[in-house]
Amino acid sequence: MPPLPRTDPVELDPHPHPRTAVREPEYGFPRGLWAAMARRRPPGPPFSPRTWRSPLRGPWITSVFGAILLVGMPIIIITGLLSYIAYGPQFGQALPADVGGLRLPLFDWPTRPSWLFRLNQGLHVVLGLVLIPVVLAKLWSVVPKLFTWPPARSLAHLLERISLALLVGGVLFEIVTGVLNIQYDYIFGFSFYTAHYWGAWVFIAGFVVHVALKLPTMIRSLRSRSLRAELRTPLATTVPEPPDTHGLVAEHPAEPTLSRRGLLALVGGGVVLMAVMTAGQTIGDAVRASALLAPRSRSYGQGPNDFQINRTAETAEITPTVVAGWTLTLTGGRQPLVLSRQDLLGMPQHTAQLPIACVEGWSTTQTWSGVRLRDLAARAGVPTPANAFVQSLERDGAFNQATLQANQVLDPDSLLALRVNGADLSLDHGFPARVIVPALPGVHNTKWVSSIDLRSA
Amino acid sequence: MATMISGVLAGWRRFYGENPLHLLALLGCFALAGYAVSFAVQAPTPIQLGIWFVGAVIGHDLVLYPLYALADRSLLAGRRARRRRHARPSRVPATNYVRVPVLGSVLLLLVFLPVIIRQGEAAYEAASGLTMEPYLERWLLITGAMFLLSAVLYALRRVRSE
């Protein structure tokens, strides 16, 4: 058989042998440099094409993982950016405080539906965790390109590879910092909020440009094979994808030990495993224990105060002595108003079933009762405050104070809670009184409240 | 006119390697990332942030990936060694019955390493009032269960293929 001309585009090649027909790379400026590097390929792995032998690598399988991430990643990005708004950047209490133009447009975080923050953080954290196997599979599928030789063929190729470093570095950095943070492992020694926020923007930059440049390739590659046919192809008839120009398909493929559907099932199994291990801590107390490895999968018991604690009284140095003789001070009216717990219990009591959700992605719904914040505002003489500044008895701690928006003070279910599930709050849950506001980030539901300043515009 | 534009474009392509929009998109990407980094360097420990960013890539691409590739190669080497001893390939290869539980177990270990090795327990206890004591045992039990299930499925497949 005569050798095929090397310039034949692969699409027209009827010849099943690998590579002979794949187009020689064309070099851009500076041509001499790239060509000289190409001639000096370091011997052996990982730069030799013989290193990469998986018969399953190819544009189709990469595009399947890419398509899943293309749906999932924007949800993680948007819930993350929404979380920043939920913390109230207008009061300087979202971290990092100065973000220039890199945030969503400001708006007052709503109080309805009451599970809004719970859903937002549950999606952000659980989706972030369950997509880890897909990210790892995607990186596995393209790893030969990391060691492609020459390292670049043109300025375009070089710049694109730099953007890929932002993309891959960004996604791995976000996974690592997020995974450590939900497990309270602050080994990195920098502020999680700062790191995760700026890491996210670097990732977003890499992600958006990668989608812009690769979307046509992804669509074309997805169309190159039928998913339905792949799902019916067993190991015995699994063959590599046809030679490609992307450098993904192995030039010297090994015999397959797994079908393409087997690989998809493996990655899918990883996704399910991660979901089972984590979703329970955000779905609720009934299934909490199923999330065996999640940090917030544990039960405290069956009592009215036996639910997840985010900062113990001991840590906050709140003891029975500290709260003895407690009073609440309301300021902002013509003169400060001081109320005892007895005074508060004498006011109209309201009961609301509200979730409390942590930025770390766990939540729990309890039945809280106490005095409506708007009743307290009226009592203080500021019935329509612009915002309210709540302070805790706790002396140290990043969350011993919080500012609430007007809608968060005035919502009919926003409470200064005195009791939970029919019993007095425990010291760990904020006795003598704590704030509970629908859809508010958990840590802004201040515990051990000492004063509320009702501020007019 | 049209031929002049296409001539310029072809010249640009030969020089740069892609069409001009490619460059525009990448410059936008670098501008956005650069703007974010200009804030990040104002953090108290910018060097550490950079080290963790680069370290995440090196840790995955040059440490973890080679480790799991080598582990898989050795598994496959075992499979080939068996081939050499027996003329006929195994009717039910064991490879994937080892791979799947190992991957499941390693995935959980990687993600939940902090609670499993009780790193950061002080902060966890300060927040929740609980210790990280049960997690190592839970991970071992889940790992054991995955291997057991895999072994049972393997045995069933072998029996059915007899």
Side-chain angles (χ1 to χ4, degrees):
Chain A
M1 181 182 285
L4 285 160
R6 294 184 71 86
T7 46
D8 257 10
V10 64
E11 289 80 6
L12 302 177
D13 180 21
H15 188 61
H17 282 299
R19 281 297 141 133
T20 47
V22 172
R23 202 198 306 243
E24 276 288 297
E26 283 174 17
Y27 298 119
F29 177 83
R31 189 164 290 118
L33 174 66
W34 310 130
M37 289 185 89
R39 286 192 299 274
R40 289 174 179 76
R41 181 198 297 276
F47 298 100
S48 157
R50 287 182 177 275
T51 312
W52 311 104
R53 290 189 303 209
S54 170
L56 299 187
R57 282 201 186 94
W60 184 81
I61 200 85
T62 292
S63 298
V64 171
F65 298 138
I68 297 167
L69 295 174
L70 182 58
V71 175
M73 285 298 172
I75 299 176
I76 299 179
I77 291 170
I78 290 171
T79 49
L81 293 175
L82 282 172
S83 180
Y84 185 80
I85 300 292
Y87 270 77
Q90 67 271 40
F91 304 125
Q93 56 188 2
L95 295 173
D98 177 19
V99 296
L102 292 184
R103 55 162 171 74
L104 296 181
L106 272 186
F107 60 93
D108 272 358
W109 185 252
T111 55
R112 298 287 149 178
S114 65
W115 39 262
L116 184 64
F117 189 70
R118 179 184 180 201
L119 176 72
N120 192 76
Q121 284 319 114
L123 269 179
H124 185 75
V125 174
V126 175
L127 204 53
L129 289 167
V130 303
L131 286 183
I132 290 176
V134 185
V135 170
L136 294 179
K138 177 78 160 59
L139 292 176
W140 166 84
S141 78
V142 295
V143 73
K145 298 179 79 158
L146 180 62
F147 300 102
T148 185
W149 200 266
R153 295 182 308 272
S154 62
L155 292 175
H157 189 206
L158 181 67
L159 290 180
E160 193 171 335
R161 293 200 72 190
I162 295 172
S163 79
L164 288 172
L166 301 180
L167 174 73
V168 176
V171 76
L172 292 172
F173 183 80
E174 290 302 275
I175 288 176
V176 169
T177 49
V179 158
L180 289 174
N181 183 64
I182 63 165
Q183 297 175 77
Y184 301 82
D185 184 355
Y186 305 118
I187 189 173
F188 37 71
F190 42 71
S191 154
F192 164 73
Y193 296 98
T194 306
H196 206 63
Y197 199 80
W198 296 124
W201 278 104
V202 171
F203 168 69
I204 291 168
F207 179 71
V208 170
V209 81
H210 187 60
V211 172
L213 297 180
K214 291 295 189 190
L215 191 64
T217 308
M218 187 191 90
I219 293 170
R220 205 164 356 132
S221 305
L222 285 176
R223 285 186 180 150
S224 71
R225 304 177 87 78
S226 145
L227 177 64
R228 195 172 299 186
E230 289 302 334
L231 294 180
R232 288 206 209 98
T233 307
L235 179 60
T237 51
T238 297
V239 292
E241 292 184 42
D244 68 332
T245 51
H246 307 285
L248 292 175
V249 179
E251 287 184 30
H252 305 278
E255 187 193 337
T257 53
L258 191 63
S259 60
R260 224 166 257 113
R261 67 176 180 187
L263 176 60
L264 293 178
L266 182 65
V267 176
V271 167
V272 171
L273 183 64
M274 287 303 297
V276 169
M277 286 300 146
T278 54
Q281 65 171 354
T282 194
I283 292 172
D285 290 317
V287 291
R288 184 174 306 280
S290 70
L292 280 172
L293 290 177
R296 294 308 190 136
S297 59
R298 320 242 315 261
S299 159
Y300 288 76
Q302 295 294 320
N305 272 285
D306 287 336
F307 55 93
Q308 299 298 312
I309 303 164
N310 197 40
R311 189 167 170 83
T312 60
E314 191 187 339
T315 307
E317 297 179 348
I318 302 292
T319 59
T321 335
V322 173
V323 299
W326 173 86
T327 55
L328 171 74
T329 308
L330 299 175
T331 54
R334 235 167 291 161
Q335 52 201 8
L337 183 62
V338 177
L339 300 169
S340 69
R341 200 162 189 276
Q342 214 48 48
D343 296 334
L344 290 166
L345 284 166
M347 290 176 68
Q349 302 290 303
H350 178 73
T351 298
Q353 201 175 27
L354 293 174
I356 184 161
C358 183
V359 73
E360 290 148 18
W362 54 268
S363 55
T364 178
T365 303
Q366 306 295 335
T367 306
W368 314 86
S369 49
V371 183
R372 281 181 167 131
L373 290 179
R374 66 178 188 194
D375 292 352
L376 288 175
R379 180 93 182 254
V382 195
T384 52
N387 59 65
F389 178 64
V390 183
Q391 280 186 292
S392 170
L393 288 172
E394 187 190 355
R395 255 172 294 158
D396 309 311
F399 297 104
N400 61 0
Q401 58 180 60
T403 304
L404 304 176
Q405 301 161 181
N407 63 328
Q408 291 165 340
V409 179
L410 298 176
D411 188 284
D413 279 349
S414 294
L415 301 177
L416 182 71
L418 305 168
R419 297 164 66 79
V420 65
N421 302 318
D424 275 346
L425 287 170
S426 69
L427 210 50
D428 278 332
H429 283 302
F431 181 88
R434 75 169 301 164
V435 166
I436 181 85
V437 167
L440 188 68
V443 287
H444 283 176
N445 292 297
T446 310
K447 299 199 276 194
W448 314 292
V449 172
S450 62
S451 68
I452 304 175
D453 185 25
L454 297 144
R455 294 166 169 175
S456 310
Chain B
M1 186 67 189
T3 48
M4 207 181 92
I5 291 173
S6 68
V8 169
L9 274 180
W12 167 264
R13 235 192 143 88
R14 272 196 305 279
F15 170 78
Y16 174 68
E18 288 286 347
N19 69 48
L21 287 176
H22 183 275
L23 179 61
L24 197 68
L26 282 167
L27 290 181
C29 159
F30 297 139
L32 176 55
Y35 185 51
V37 170
S38 77
F39 285 97
V41 294
Q42 295 165 32
T45 51
I47 307 281
Q48 242 158 312
L49 285 175
I51 289 173
W52 275 76
F53 192 92
V54 175
V57 179
I58 293 176
H60 174 270
D61 290 356
L62 301 180
V63 179
L64 286 181
Y65 177 79
L67 281 179
Y68 67 68
L70 280 178
D72 199 57
R73 287 268 163 108
S74 47
L75 186 67
L76 294 181
R79 181 181 169 123
R80 276 195 300 277
R82 185 199 176 279
R83 279 294 156 81
R84 279 195 295 276
R85 281 198 310 274
H86 306 269
R88 197 163 52 86
S90 161
R91 265 171 309 187
V92 185
T95 315
N96 291 328
Y97 292 91
V98 179
R99 262 183 187 157
V100 173
V102 168
L103 281 173
S105 174
V106 169
L107 174 70
L108 294 180
L109 179 66
L110 274 180
V111 173
F112 295 106
L113 190 65
V115 290
I116 291 171
I117 64 170
R118 300 170 78 161
Q119 189 168 274
E121 185 165 34
Y124 177 72
E125 206 172 336
S128 69
L130 300 170
T131 70
M132 290 178 169
E133 186 260 329
Y135 290 104
L136 172 62
E137 194 183 303
R138 287 182 181 189
W139 174 69
L140 288 172
L141 285 175
I142 295 165
T143 299
M146 286 191 293
F147 273 97
L148 185 66
L149 182 66
S150 190
V152 169
L153 290 176
Y154 178 67
L156 286 177
R157 280 283 297 276
R158 287 222 35 169
V159 168
R160 246 189 292 164
S161 74
E162 289 298 319

